[in-house]
Amino acid sequence: MTFFKNLIRDEQGATAIEYGLIAALIAVAAITGMTALGGTLESTFQNVSTKMQPGVTGGASA
C-alpha cells in the first residue's frame, strides 16, 4: 500500500512530461517562424539577384 501512495505523490514523471511538451511547442513555433522567414529571404535575394547587373568578365589589370 505504501508503494501506491508514494507512486501517486511522485510528480517527477509528470514534470518531465510537461517540460517535454513545452520543448516540443517551442520547437514547432521555431520551425514555423524559420520557414516563413526563409520564404521571405528567398524572395528578397531573388529580387536583388534580378536587379543586379552582371560583373565585367576578364582578368584583373596589374
Side-chain angles (χ1 to χ4, degrees), residues 10 12 15 17 19 32-33 36 61:
D10 187 17
Q12 287 181 348
T15 303
I17 291 172
Y19 283 132
T32 303
S61 60

Side-chain angles (χ1 to χ4, degrees), residues 20-62:
L21 289 173
I22 290 170
L25 182 64
I26 290 171
V28 167
I31 289 170
T32 303
M34 289 178 195
T35 302
L37 181 63
T40 303
L41 282 176
E42 182 180 3
S43 65
T44 300
F45 282 119
Q46 187 65 29
N47 187 22
V48 169
S49 176
T50 56
K51 290 186 178 185
M52 287 180 64
Q53 295 180 2
V56 178
T57 57
S61 60

